[in-house]
Amino acid sequence: MLKPTIGPLVGHITTDHARLFIRGEIQKDLQVFAGVRYRISGSPHWIKSVFAKLSESRDMSAVITLNHLREDTEYEYQTGWFCPMSPVHTVDSVAELPLQWPREIYRLRTRCNQPLQARAYIIGSCRYLRLTAGIAVLPQLGDRIFASISQLIEGRQPPVSALLMTGDQVYLDDLNLIAPDREYTDMLAKYRAAFSQPNIKRLMSSTSTYMILDDHEIEDNWPAHAEAGDNTLYNNAIKAYELYQASHSPAFSLTTNGQVDHATLKHYWYQFSDGDLEWFVTDSRTRRTLSADDRRILDEEQEQVLLKWLVNSPARVKFVVTSVMFYPDRKSHGDDAWKAFPEQRLRLLETIRTHRIKNVIFVSGDVHGSLTSRLTHSEDLDFDIHTIVSSPLCNSKLLPYASESTFILDQPLAQTAAGDYRHELTSKVVSQDNFAHVVVEAQQIRVNYHDRDGDLLQTIDIPLR
């Protein structure tokens, strides 16, 4: 067996289930299979081997699921791909072959349902990796920060439950004015380059990773800048996104035999839980309505599901991920974010306020600057929400960093007959490459921002109620 060309990438994990993304390589006129075998860490015996047939239609990739796992347990696994000599093999028959597995052993941990247990996450967005003629230019710049993340979380308590990548994991339009990617093969090449760098591979091979797209997975400021004839560009970009980012997420349901059901994807937004914490990862990019009479950044179905979840979920802390900023608003170039959809934003805020929902945290990226901010209400002292913004993981030299002067901070976010929504920064604005290490404790959320070398920039404590 050969090592995966991309991956293994650990995706969605529950108390008894894990998803692993693996890519092999095309072998002309030969069948190609990928396999995973796993065991409880320290055990001398492998529990089971699971195989998948790879096809060119999925860029020789597969998501293999591990089922019936033990809660809060560390597992070891090995993985690779191979071509059997016989052309009639199936995923069942290859399990009987005497395979030589790649020597490297990876580890993952299943979720724990215990309430009030401290949990940690890494949050980041906007990872620029420039390609020229399909080759990464100075790839160590776009990969450097992931080595720092791995070093930070190794042996750290509480262990990191997941890596949240909240948009612009790739820049398909990095040379948008000269030669934007429009062809599917070019987009696949960019994903392969982005996810095959050594440091990000190491991190994602052992850390549950959740992703959601933003505009650069399609085109800058999509769909506001869409032109006639862009349907092909969009369809190709979305097909690549589904393959490399959505495939290992909860957006895909499982078949009756516990494998990912590729035929049932209905939308890109999804939910997942981690003990008494819950996450709602919105799609604030592909379901927009830009008509003047009914502007929406989330489609009606997604909004209704989100509101119902906010009201009815018993989660102790509710994280809402939106790739573009919920607040504060930017002074310029803010029409790509929630600033341009004030009615829908106000509906969410009024739902949280009138139902007295506590401990709602909005998580986003996009602006190439990191910050935390608090939102209150002039007449309702019980209303209190926070935002955590983390961006960028790696900036382009062509793009500026955000600073405090970027944002509108001297006027209410929204004004209603019932009172004003007022916001204030609770941190400095980080204007360099960085990531957030977020620790949720019983009484507070601690947000630690680190630079690309892993050095601590600032710490902010958000009290829980």
Side-chain angles (χ1 to χ4, degrees):
M1 298 179 75
L2 300 172
K3 292 182 179 181
T5 58
I6 295 178
L9 186 165
V10 181
H12 179 45
I13 288 182
T14 68
T15 55
D16 63 356
H17 167 83
R19 306 184 185 193
L20 300 174
F21 176 95
I22 303 156
R23 181 181 182 272
E25 195 65 84
I26 296 172
Q27 301 296 302
K28 185 177 180 180
D29 299 328
L30 294 175
Q31 290 192 105
V32 181
F33 292 85
V36 173
R37 67 175 181 177
Y38 61 99
R39 64 189 177 193
I40 294 175
S41 290
S43 171
H45 304 295
W46 298 101
I47 297 172
K48 190 178 181 181
S49 299
V50 186
F51 295 91
K53 187 176 180 180
L54 306 183
S55 68
E56 192 172 355
S57 64
R58 299 193 59 79
D59 197 35
M60 305 306 290
S61 71
V63 176
I64 293 179
T65 61
L66 312 183
N67 298 306
H68 310 297
L69 306 178
R70 293 185 186 178
E71 179 181 340
D72 193 21
T73 301
E74 184 180 81
Y75 284 84
E76 300 174 342
Y77 70 96
Q78 291 177 306
T79 183
W81 62 278
F82 62 99
C83 298
M85 297 299 294
S86 171
V88 296
H89 271 299
T90 66
V91 291
D92 294 319
S93 65
V94 293
E96 306 300 323
L97 296 176
L99 297 170
Q100 184 70 41
W101 292 80
R103 296 179 60 182
E104 188 160 6
I105 293 178
Y106 306 95
R107 289 173 177 82
L108 61 84
R109 191 172 196 89
T110 52
R111 299 271 187 261
C112 172
N113 260 339
Q114 184 176 344
L116 295 179
Q117 179 172 302
R119 291 173 167 84
Y121 306 91
I122 299 295
I123 298 172
S125 65
C126 306
R127 184 270 186 115
Y128 184 79
L129 184 72
R130 181 179 174 183
L131 295 185
T132 300
I135 300 172
V137 179
L138 299 175
Q140 66 273 18
L141 297 181
D143 194 42
R144 175 178 178 177
I145 200 166
F146 298 107
S148 300
I149 295 173
S150 292
Q151 185 175 9
L152 176 80
I153 68 178
E154 188 171 355
R156 182 67 63 101
Q157 294 297 324
V160 168
S161 291
L163 166 65
L164 276 295
M165 302 185 77
T166 65
D168 297 338
Q169 281 69 254
V170 296
Y171 280 68
L172 297 185
D173 60 345
D174 61 345
L175 295 174
N176 195 53
L177 297 178
I178 304 171
D181 286 335
R182 304 186 71 88
E183 300 302 323
Y184 183 55
T185 54
D186 295 332
M187 295 174 180
L188 291 179
K190 193 153 288 184
Y191 271 102
R192 292 180 203 138
F195 288 173
S196 63
Q197 303 303 316
N199 294 322
I200 194 173
K201 282 186 67 173
R202 177 189 170 201
L203 176 63
M204 295 194 300
S205 68
S206 60
T207 305
S208 181
T209 303
Y210 295 87
M211 305 176 180
I212 191 64
L213 80 168
D214 198 20
D215 54 340
H216 292 290
E217 273 91 353
I218 307 168
E219 187 179 56
D220 186 35
N221 284 4
W222 182 271
H225 292 173
E227 300 176 352
D230 275 351
N231 287 342
T232 298
L233 177 149
Y234 177 78
N235 290 336
N236 287 338
I238 284 300
K239 186 177 178 181
Y241 168 75
E242 290 180 3
L243 201 60
Y244 277 94
Q245 296 197 55
S247 62
H248 43 81
S249 79
F252 280 92
S253 60
L254 298 178
T255 62
T256 54
N257 65 354
Q259 298 304 308
V260 172
D261 188 352
H262 296 294
T264 60
L265 182 66
K266 297 178 181 178
H267 44 69
Y268 301 134
W269 47 269
Y270 58 85
Q271 303 169 50
F272 70 94
S273 62
D274 187 12
D276 56 359
L277 314 180
E278 292 186 7
W279 294 75
F280 193 114
V281 181
T282 68
D283 171 11
S284 57
R285 182 56 61 183
T286 74
R287 297 295 188 96
R288 297 186 178 200
T289 300
L290 302 181
S291 60
D293 57 340
D294 185 29
R295 291 182 62 82
R296 292 177 178 272
I297 194 169
L298 310 180
D299 58 284
E300 185 175 0
E301 178 192 6
Q302 185 177 183
E303 179 186 345
Q304 292 306 312
V305 174
L306 173 58
L307 293 176
K308 184 177 180 180
W309 172 78
L310 284 167
V311 171
N312 297 326
S313 168
R316 181 168 62 94
V317 182
K318 300 174 184 178
F319 292 96
V320 181
V321 176
T322 165
S323 57
V324 294
M325 284 187 66
F326 193 67
Y327 79 92
D329 293 334
R330 300 174 70 179
K331 294 177 181 177
S332 59
H333 307 295
D335 289 345
D336 190 49
W338 283 84
K339 176 184 178 182
F341 305 86
E343 295 87 359
Q344 190 170 46
R345 178 167 63 181
L346 185 59
R347 289 196 296 270
L348 265 66
L349 293 176
E350 285 289 273
T351 296
I352 294 169
R353 185 181 70 83
T354 58
H355 286 83
R356 301 195 174 281
I357 304 169
K358 300 184 186 305
N359 301 330
V360 178
I361 312 294
F362 285 87
V363 177
S364 61
D366 180 55
V367 294
H368 293 215
S370 293
L371 59 93
T372 62
S373 180
R374 181 185 182 213
L375 187 66
T376 56
H377 192 273
S378 62
E379 307 302 320
D380 189 343
L381 300 182
D382 195 47
F383 175 83
D384 181 89
I385 68 172
H386 293 262
T387 188
I388 300 171
V389 181
S390 183
S391 166
L393 291 163
C394 181
N395 203 5
S396 165
K397 293 182 178 180
L398 301 177
L399 299 173
Y401 290 100
S403 64
E404 186 171 330
S405 63
T406 302
F407 304 102
I408 302 172
L409 302 171
D410 58 352
Q411 55 186 272
L413 184 72
Q415 296 177 293
T416 71
D420 298 346
Y421 286 96
R422 300 171 177 172
H423 55 292
E424 60 178 347
L425 292 181
T426 53
S427 74
K428 297 178 181 177
V429 177
V430 178
S431 303
Q432 58 182 289
D433 293 357
N434 72 96
F435 64 92
H437 175 223
V438 177
V439 182
V440 185
E441 301 172 341
Q443 301 298 325
Q444 68 176 13
I445 298 174
R446 173 158 288 184
V447 183
N448 303 296
Y449 286 110
H450 296 262
D451 67 16
R452 65 182 183 181
D453 294 320
D455 294 330
L456 182 65
L457 296 171
Q458 62 176 326
T459 296
I460 304 95
D461 291 332
I462 301 172
L464 294 175
R465 299 183 295 156

